[in-house]
Amino acid sequence: MPHIVFVAPHFLENTTRYASAFAQLEGVKLSLISEDPDRAIPAELKQRIAGHHQVRSVSDPTQLVLALTGLSRRVGPVDRLTGALEQLQMPMAEARQRADVPGMRPDIARRFRDKDLMKQVLRRAGVPVAASQLVPSLDALRAFIDSVGYPVIVKPQAGVGSRATHRIESEGDLAALVQLGLEPTPQRPLQAEQFIRAREFTCETVSIHGKAVWRSGTRYFPTPLEVLEKPWVQYCVLLPREVEAPWTDFAAINGAALEALFGDKPQVTGTALTHMEWFLADGPKMYVNEVGARPPGVQIMPMMGLTHGVDMISKWAELISFDRFTPLERKWAAGAAFFRGQGPGDTVVEVRGLEEAVAKVGSALVELRAPKVGQPKGSGYEGEGTALVKHATTEGVKQALLTLIETVQVRYG
Ligand SMILES: Nc1ncnc2c1ncn2[C@@H]1O[C@H](COP(=O)(O)OP(=O)(O)O)[C@@H](O)[C@H]1O
Ligand SMILES: [Mg+2]
């Protein structure tokens, strides 16, 4: 019976769902590593675990190794060390290496975490990516702009959730970047990239021992950059009913990119659900933007579940625990709408149109987390509330999403 160790800083709702998916798997022994104490583990989950080890910081590989040592003594040798959060991927890889637990090692995990290294590996493998460079100074950034021209994108080397991503279109934007205190330095270099004007998509891939066995994909409306630049824009993600172009056209590029990233020992490192973001520009030309070796956010996991009639989190748990995945057939279209407020202020003071939207969308609405008056302004592009919809047709989902974002209005004050 494999012994799986799942890492999560705190037992928040989402993390608990991921941990519970492992706990409910037949034939798995589950242990947990967390910053939260034992008493914070929800009762139902606690009944089903074989062990728990509390650490001060889940980001510290040394503490993870100590926890692994303790758990393997009390529960048995550890077969997998896993966790869903992007920020855990490097520390877990480091701990696997030191504690000799099978799975992705730091050299490979870094390719998924470090945007500069990722693009270098992809470029070397002939995978289309934007021209990019890690710049350690303003002069180097200027030289990069001279070579590719405006506009360029700058972002942190190991970013997540579009934080601190900026489009630079002019000398004035460069000055603004400096004023924001984001000037690149040798200690804090910036990832600079040629700006790709494009529509933005995702490709979720299940790989076993480095071989892609199943794919799904979504489209972002509008692009995360636009969502970031225009805080009032309400945001949607669509997972269509059809398995068709442009997603199917992207499969070959996705395959080549993952093969390059997994490296020459895919039988060890290449069992994963990956979340790749990619651009479709005029031409048409496709580019890989970035890829995470972890389940996707922005409601894509529940959307994949709805469209394929499964619990995707439990499918992921099964993949990680047993290197096993049965390809899924798509039966529905699904979408997510993210409600974001307008106006100055940092608290929600008014939510309009909810009842009307719910009535209009009818049975397509699967889940609604309504924004509430008094709620603090959300950080990042997920906003203050979410609606999940499902329909037999892609058009039905598009209509429902449009109705939701046009009818629901959130105001800050
Ligand atoms: N080279 C680029 N060209 C155009 N848009 C980009 C580029 N790089 C990033 N973006 C925009 O910025 C967003 C965030 O960048 P991304 O590389 O995905 O970082 P993060 O890890 O923060 O998600 C992307 O979803 C995309 O909209
Ligand atoms: Mg991204």
Side-chain angles (χ1 to χ4, degrees):
M1 195 186 275
H3 179 201
I4 312 294
V5 177
F6 184 85
V7 189
H10 310 290
F11 295 103
L12 303 177
E13 189 189 333
N14 205 35
T15 347
T16 302
R17 281 178 61 186
Y18 274 88
S20 302
F22 285 96
Q24 282 156 13
L25 267 187
E26 204 70 48
V28 157
K29 257 189 312 188
L30 175 69
S31 293
L32 303 173
I33 299 177
S34 70
E35 293 175 11
D36 275 353
D38 203 57
R39 63 173 185 280
I41 306 172
E44 208 173 308
L45 174 58
K46 199 164 176 171
Q47 283 174 10
R48 311 186 77 131
I49 60 173
H52 170 244
H53 197 109
Q54 186 183 3
V55 294
R56 263 190 333 282
S57 165
V58 290
S59 322
D60 177 359
T62 304
Q63 291 182 45
L64 292 183
V65 170
L66 288 175
L68 286 171
T69 312
L71 288 169
S72 63
R73 206 171 41 232
R74 294 197 299 276
V75 181
V78 177
D79 297 290
R80 296 286 184 272
L81 174 66
T82 189
L85 300 177
E86 172 73 13
Q87 294 88 332
L88 292 174
Q89 303 307 316
M90 274 313 296
M92 287 192 310
E94 190 70 45
R96 275 186 213 114
Q97 170 134 316
R98 291 201 227 158
D100 198 19
V101 172
M104 201 177 273
R105 295 288 190 258
D107 55 340
I108 305 299
R110 197 169 296 116
R111 296 174 171 186
F112 288 89
R113 187 77 190 108
D114 174 339
K115 292 185 198 300
D116 177 50
L117 180 61
M118 181 191 299
K119 292 234 152 90
Q120 285 183 36
V121 170
L122 294 177
R123 201 173 286 126
R124 220 180 299 136
V127 174
V129 291
S132 69
Q133 199 177 312
L134 192 66
V135 295
S137 66
L138 202 55
D139 282 347
L141 177 54
R142 281 215 169 84
F144 178 75
I145 294 170
D146 283 344
S147 72
V148 302
Y150 285 117
V152 300
I153 287 279
V154 293
K155 51 192 173 185
Q157 189 175 3
V160 64
S162 299
R163 276 174 218 126
T165 298
H166 297 271
R167 181 190 342 208
I168 308 285
E169 302 205 318
S170 62
E171 187 64 34
D173 289 348
L174 266 184
L177 190 75
V178 173
Q179 240 163 23
L180 282 171
L182 293 174
E183 177 176 343
T185 63
Q187 293 75 37
R188 203 196 49 202
L190 279 179
Q191 171 77 358
E193 295 187 0
Q194 163 197 28
F195 178 76
I196 308 287
R197 194 172 306 282
R199 290 178 279 163
E200 207 167 324
F201 297 80
T202 74
C203 179
E204 281 63 53
T205 313
V206 172
S207 304
I208 298 178
H209 304 312
K211 189 173 177 299
V213 296
W214 182 77
R215 288 188 179 90
S216 172
T218 72
R219 178 165 174 198
Y220 295 149
F221 291 98
T223 67
L225 183 69
E226 252 179 282
V227 176
L228 188 77
E229 289 176 344
K230 302 173 186 156
W232 62 91
V233 161
Q234 313 214 63
Y235 171 55
C236 299
V237 181
L238 170 77
L239 201 169
R241 162 70 182 82
E242 298 73 25
V243 179
E244 61 179 14
W247 291 272
T248 43
D249 294 339
F250 183 71
I253 295 180
N254 172 258
L258 290 176
E259 192 184 320
L261 292 166
F262 282 140
D264 54 9
K265 292 200 203 80
Q267 64 281 13
V268 181
T269 61
T271 293
L273 167 60
T274 49
H275 166 55
M276 184 175 286
E277 294 180 320
W278 59 280
F279 298 130
L280 178 62
D282 287 346
K285 264 196 97 174
M286 292 177 279
Y287 300 84
V288 173
N289 178 34
E290 63 160 351
V291 48
R294 49 147 179 98
V298 288
Q299 303 293 326
I300 294 175
M301 287 296 271
M303 285 164 58
M304 286 197 286
L306 289 172
T307 47
H308 300 90
V310 296
D311 175 351
M312 201 61 204
I313 298 179
S314 101
K315 292 284 165 195
W316 178 69
E318 186 184 335
L319 171 74
I320 298 304
S321 305
F322 299 109
D323 298 307
R324 189 171 73 206
F325 187 86
T326 312
L328 305 168
E329 192 195 335
R330 201 170 307 162
K331 302 184 182 108
W332 301 83
F338 298 89
F339 302 117
R340 306 167 87 223
Q342 304 192 358
D346 45 27
T347 306
V348 174
V349 294
E350 188 183 25
V351 181
R352 266 197 284 173
L354 261 182
E355 276 174 29
E356 188 190 337
V358 169
K360 278 189 186 161
V361 171
S363 61
L365 187 66
V366 176
E367 192 183 303
L368 176 68
R369 284 172 190 243
K372 293 193 181 65
V373 169
Q375 191 178 328
K377 182 176 182 170
S379 66
Y381 45 47
E382 297 215 16
E384 286 79 36
T386 323
L388 273 176
V389 298
K390 168 179 150 177
H391 195 270
T393 67
T394 304
E395 200 44 46
V397 164
K398 279 188 182 167
Q399 284 309 324
L401 291 175
L402 208 61
T403 300
L404 285 162
I405 60 171
E406 281 178 351
T407 316
V408 177
Q409 280 178 21
V410 181
R411 202 164 54 79
Y412 302 132

